[in-house]
């Protein structure tokens, strides 16, 4: 089993060279976030990930969380690790300084999120959901609720959950049935939620559930859903804890992966109703919840990247140790480690190139997010927000789908040992598998991309993105050195494919919605591959410039070689996906239901 080592060098490179850390200095409060500060933060975060969270990953998989009459008990070692996480201020990294947070950019927090999730995905889910709950409360709750709940959520003393799903309401939240009955200055909730991540545990003093429910006279469907804070323990006006609320964990699920993350069935109102407080406006709960969901979707995208990197590190280390076979054409002489075989190299580079592409893409979107929220110019905030809105389903969908593919390749590199639990490779695949499902399946992300995000402005944000990607072409044309011609040619082909696919989706929307939806996943993946190619091209250009400094030559040369591999062996998938997009629903819907 390998130890997780955070890829700090690549993270720094992406943050400073591709995601434009310097550009964030226009934001009041971020002027002081220098590369040195980032290096210090990432160094400490990497220590916690490698030394504290990583070693608990296998224990969590083996033992899992357990349900007891008195509540859910986290895996041994997790509560102490969580205490350390909170005491060292990690929960508040990107939190609002006025509420006790450290006010660092999302961009830097994205690297920390990657580390926590790579080291221990089950553990990392707990603060990931707390961060989403903070976002929703901060954006929509009254000042009183903010004052009562935010300080302890920001510090991590309390954790947050997202309570949407019911047995009949998964992808389709219009079917939510949990009831909220007005009772003085609060409400009483009755109903059951399923699959609630970290819905109960013993790592923090209180748990703040953000729950979707319906008022008695609410309209049908999504227009009749409201959002409530339902704390495990009621909270006094001064923030201190009061009586236990009428909310409990009925059971937790046995599942394929993330065993240490309790997936809870939550019962609200078994007695006289769970006390809840309305967040934002009545019947606008789903829109308010989208603040939390968008934040979580971006982070689950980073989770796909993270678990892929963990799988890659294990595969790479194994490939450097495992002796098997001889170099091609040799029948005698020393046997070699498997990293000498071209097909193993191909697998490792397929993993590495896509991981670096995802990291660059994910962090660039995170920096866009900082500017969307905090840029002093309103027009720029709007432009960045449109970009974030368009790319959130791509970040979630593309990175989590690749996370599964890469974790599966990690097993392949291990051969038979990959299938055996002791190497850990199989845990990464089992853990990775959920990321394409929760926070909206990839199918739902793809439908959101073609049905809302792309078409909302008639394709203007996508057109601006394509123009920006095209801008790299002239720099690639000027670049000298091996690889740049291939990068330029393949990127141009990828842009062309995405342009044509976009035109097809826009034309077909409204005429044949089945065709658009049948093509949607291929369109999402095509967008991801091209955005990855764009960032890898930029990375190669930045590496070329870096070579002139003669520091870190090996890193820069590897970056150019990796970007070239991405261009030659990954980006061509774009052409195939264009063909699939254009075929629309004709084949996907060809079979009648009784032939399945
Ligand atoms: C481990 C785990 C943790 C979870 N954590 C949470 C949590 O913390 N909070 C929470 O509220 N929920 C949570 N969930 C629930 C999760 O978000 C849902 O499982 C997910 O949204 C899918 O819903 P579903 O399971 O009902 O599947 P369904 O909605 O029944 O979907 C089944 C299949 O049909 C497809 N499908 C459904 N509708 C459409 C459509 N309109 N268009 C195209 N395809 C469609 C889906 O893509 C999928 O392939 C968790 C689930 C798990 C397993």
């Amino acid at each position: 089993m390998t130890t997780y080592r955070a890829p700090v060098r690549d993270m720094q490179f992406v943050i400073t060279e591709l995601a434009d850390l310097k550009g964030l200095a226009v934001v009041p409060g971020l002027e002081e976030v220098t590369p040195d500060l980032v290096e210090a933060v990432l160094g400490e975060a990497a220590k916690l990930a490698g030394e504290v969270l990583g070693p608990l990953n296998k224990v969590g998989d083996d033992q899992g969380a357990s349900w007891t009459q008195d509540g859910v008990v986290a895996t041994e070692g997790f509560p102490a690790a969580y205490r350390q996480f909170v005491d060292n201020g990690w929960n508040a990294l990107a939190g609002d300084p006025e509420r006790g947070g450290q006010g660092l950019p999302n961009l830097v927090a994205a690297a920390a999120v990657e580390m926590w999730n790579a080291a221990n995905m089950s553990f990392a889910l707990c603060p990931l959901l707390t961060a989403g709950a903070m976002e929703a409360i901060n954006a929509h709750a009254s000042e009183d609720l903010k004052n009562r709940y935010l300080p302890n959520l920001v510090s991590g003393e309390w954790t947050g959950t997202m309570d949407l799903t019911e047995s009949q309401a998964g992808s389709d939240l219009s079917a939510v049935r949990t009831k909220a009955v007005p009772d003085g200055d609060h409400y009483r909730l009755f109903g059951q939620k399923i699959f609630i991540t970290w819905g109960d545990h013993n790592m923090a003093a209180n748990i703040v559930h953000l729950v979707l429910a319906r008022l008695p006279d609410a309209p049908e469907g999504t227009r009749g859903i409201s959002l409530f804070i339902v704390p495990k323990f009621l909270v006094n006006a001064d923030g201190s804890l009061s009586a236990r609320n009428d909310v409990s964990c009925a059971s937790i699920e046995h599942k394929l992966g993330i065993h240490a993350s309790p997936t809870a069935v939550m019962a609200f109102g078994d007695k006289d109703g769970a006390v809840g407080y309305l967040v934002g406006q009545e019947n606008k709960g789903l829109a308010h919840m989208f603040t939390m969901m968008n934040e979580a979707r971006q982070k689950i995208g980073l989770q796909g990247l993270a678990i892929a990197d963990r799988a890659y590190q294990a595969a790479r280390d194994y490939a450097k140790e495992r002796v098997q076979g001889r170099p091609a054409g040799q029948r005698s002489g020393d046997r070699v480690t498997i990293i000498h075989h071209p097909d193993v190299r191909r697998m490792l580079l397929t993993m590495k190139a896509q991981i670096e592409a995802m990291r660059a893409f994910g962090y660039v979107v995170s920096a866009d997010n900082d500017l969307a929220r905090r840029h002093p110019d309103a027009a720029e905030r709007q432009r960045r927000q449109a970009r974030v809105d368009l790319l959130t389903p791509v970040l979630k969908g593309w990175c989590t789908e690749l996370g599964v593919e890469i974790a599966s390749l990690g097993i392949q590199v291990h051969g038979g040992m990959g299938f055996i639990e002791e190497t850990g490779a199989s845990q990464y695949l089992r853990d990775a598998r959920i990321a394409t499902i929760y926070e909206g399946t990839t199918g739902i992300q793809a439908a959101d991309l073609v049905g809302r995000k792309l078409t909302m402005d008639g394709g203007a944000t996508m057109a601006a993105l394509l123009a920006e990607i095209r801008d790299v072409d002239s720099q690639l044309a000027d670049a000298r050195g091996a690889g740049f011609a291939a990068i330029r040619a393949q990127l141009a082909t990828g842009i062309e494919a995405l342009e044509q696919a976009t035109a097809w989706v826009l034309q077909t929307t409204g005429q044949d919605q089945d065709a658009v939806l049948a093509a949607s996943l291929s369109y999402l993946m095509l967008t991801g591959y091209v955005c990855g190619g764009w960032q890898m091209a930029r990375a190669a250009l930045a590496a070329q410039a870096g070579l002139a400094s003669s520091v870190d030559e090996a890193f820069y040369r590897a970056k150019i070689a990796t970007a070239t591999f991405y261009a030659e062996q990954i980006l061509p998938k774009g052409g195939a996906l264009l063909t699939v997009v254009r075929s629309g629903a004709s084949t996907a819907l060809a079979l009648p239901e009784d032939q399945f």
Side-chain angles (χ1 to χ4, degrees):
M1 175 107 17
T2 55
T3 309
Y4 171 67
R5 287 185 301 277
V8 173
R9 178 68 187 93
D10 198 52
M11 290 172 163
Q12 280 174 309
F13 172 80
V14 172
I15 288 172
T16 53
E17 304 297 328
L18 305 181
D20 191 20
L21 178 71
K22 260 195 215 144
L24 295 185
V26 294
V27 173
L30 295 187
E31 308 87 346
E32 310 290 310
V33 185
T34 60
D36 286 347
L37 176 66
V38 171
E39 187 178 351
V41 172
L42 296 192
E44 287 304 310
K47 258 194 230 162
L48 186 82
E51 294 170 14
V52 179
L53 306 184
L56 290 172
N57 195 40
K58 174 102 174 81
V59 191
D61 190 45
D62 291 344
Q63 292 179 11
S66 34
W67 184 91
T68 74
Q69 286 286 352
D70 300 326
V72 173
V73 177
T75 306
E76 203 181 332
F78 274 53
Y82 186 72
R83 192 67 252 158
Q84 194 172 339
F85 183 85
V86 170
D87 287 347
N88 292 346
W90 291 114
N91 197 59
L93 209 55
D96 181 354
E98 287 184 14
R99 304 263 175 204
Q102 302 194 22
L104 281 169
N106 249 298
L107 171 59
V108 178
V113 166
E114 183 192 329
M115 291 184 203
W116 316 142
N117 280 284
N120 192 328
M121 194 167 140
S122 286
F123 178 96
L125 275 163
C126 190
L128 188 155
L129 285 159
T130 306
M134 287 186 311
E135 286 283 323
I137 293 173
N138 200 28
H140 306 294
S142 65
E143 275 309 303
D144 177 45
L145 286 175
K146 284 186 200 176
N147 291 336
R148 213 176 276 212
Y149 288 93
L150 278 180
N152 283 306
L153 285 171
V154 171
S155 68
E157 290 299 330
W158 302 347
T159 66
T161 71
M162 178 195 273
D163 301 51
L164 285 63
T165 307
E166 298 175 12
S167 55
Q168 77 294 346
S171 299
D172 177 13
L173 291 169
S174 67
V176 159
R177 280 194 207 131
T178 297
K179 278 261 158 282
V181 182
D183 182 19
D185 69 345
H186 57 265
Y187 295 78
R188 290 204 177 254
L189 274 76
F190 300 88
Q192 192 187 67
K193 296 284 177 182
I194 63 166
F195 294 162
I196 305 309
T197 297
W198 285 101
D200 193 40
H201 59 83
N202 59 341
M203 302 208 300
N206 202 6
I207 301 174
V208 180
H209 301 286
L210 283 179
V211 186
L212 290 183
R214 280 181 190 286
L215 298 172
D217 54 355
E220 290 286 300
T222 52
R223 280 157 203 249
I225 294 176
S226 304
L227 178 62
F228 299 88
I229 285 178
V230 181
K232 177 174 174 179
F233 288 95
L234 298 174
V235 179
N236 296 316
D238 64 358
S240 61
L241 294 184
S242 166
R244 179 76 202 249
N245 202 357
D246 184 10
V247 49
S248 60
C249 172
S251 62
I252 59 173
E253 308 292 347
H254 298 278
K255 53 196 195 294
L256 182 68
I258 53 166
H259 293 158
S261 165
T263 303
V265 175
M266 298 301 299
F268 294 88
D270 274 355
K271 298 177 195 123
D272 44 5
V275 173
Y277 305 93
L278 182 71
V279 175
Q281 296 175 43
E282 288 182 354
N283 299 330
K284 295 268 189 266
L286 197 57
H288 298 336
M289 190 53 121
F290 260 102
T291 304
M292 180 168 188
M293 281 154 77
N294 282 328
E295 150 93 16
R297 285 177 176 184
Q298 289 158 21
K299 287 198 172 143
I300 301 297
L302 295 173
Q303 189 171 66
L305 151 70
I307 196 72
D309 191 47
R310 181 76 192 246
Y312 165 68
Q313 292 191 21
R316 175 201 61 199
D317 293 355
Y318 187 78
K320 287 184 179 180
E321 280 168 15
R322 168 74 175 162
V323 174
Q324 196 70 194
R326 295 188 173 78
Q330 289 185 22
R331 292 200 173 168
S332 59
D334 288 345
R335 300 200 312 158
V336 294
T337 49
I338 59 171
I339 198 166
H340 289 89
H341 299 308
D343 188 56
V344 173
R345 284 289 175 100
R346 173 195 62 77
M347 287 193 277
L348 290 174
L349 206 42
T350 300
M351 297 170 88
K352 177 177 161 65
Q354 294 186 100
I355 287 164
E356 291 182 15
M358 285 193 278
R359 181 173 296 124
F361 174 59
Y363 290 15
V364 164
V365 175
S366 298
D368 273 334
N369 214 352
D370 284 313
L371 295 171
R373 289 170 194 199
R374 299 169 71 182
H375 198 286
D377 176 33
E380 188 58 15
R381 283 202 300 276
Q382 206 177 4
R383 190 179 80 79
R384 299 280 178 171
Q385 189 60 53
R387 173 75 61 93
V388 172
D389 289 345
L390 177 74
L391 294 180
T392 296
V394 182
L395 179 55
K396 161 65 165 88
W398 181 63
C399 292
T400 58
E401 290 289 334
L402 289 194
V404 176
E405 279 181 31
I406 289 169
S408 179
L409 263 181
I411 291 185
Q412 196 69 14
V413 170
H414 282 80
M417 283 309 288
F419 201 69
I420 306 299
E421 290 289 350
E422 87 189 47
T423 55
S426 55
Q427 185 193 346
Y428 309 141
L429 179 59
R430 288 187 287 100
D431 285 356
R433 197 64 196 80
I434 186 59
T436 65
I437 297 171
Y438 55 19
E439 276 317 320
T441 60
T442 316
I444 295 299
Q445 304 303 323
D448 182 42
L449 177 64
V450 298
R452 259 170 48 86
K453 301 298 167 58
L454 175 68
T455 42
M456 220 157 40
D457 56 6
T461 304
M462 178 56 97
L465 176 71
L466 280 159
E468 203 174 320
I469 302 177
R470 240 186 227 299
D471 274 352
V472 183
D473 184 71
S474 59
Q475 295 168 58
L476 290 170
D478 290 343
R480 298 279 160 262
F484 283 96
I487 294 173
R488 185 179 175 212
Q490 292 299 343
L491 185 61
T493 309
I495 295 169
E496 187 68 27
L498 183 54
E499 242 162 19
Q500 291 186 24
T502 302
W504 182 91
V505 172
L506 290 171
Q507 270 162 19
T508 315
T509 295
Q511 291 174 23
D512 184 352
Q513 213 49 25
D514 277 349
V516 172
L517 288 169
S520 60
L521 190 113
S522 300
Y523 180 75
L524 179 148
M525 295 301 284
L526 168 58
T527 309
Y529 285 122
V530 173
C531 286
W534 169 40
Q535 294 306 329
M536 289 305 274
R538 295 183 63 227
L541 289 165
Q544 183 80 342
L547 276 175
S549 71
S550 77
V551 179
D552 231 354
E553 186 183 338
F555 173 82
Y556 291 129
R557 291 211 182 281
K559 183 61 84 179
I560 295 169
T562 307
T564 309
F565 178 89
Y566 186 97
E568 290 184 337
Q569 302 221 9
I570 308 292
L571 253 181
K573 290 182 182 186
L577 286 168
L578 172 63
T579 308
V580 180
V581 166
R582 280 188 175 142
S583 78
S586 54
T587 45
L589 300 180
L591 278 191
E593 192 176 333
D594 62 8
Q595 289 304 307
F596 283 95

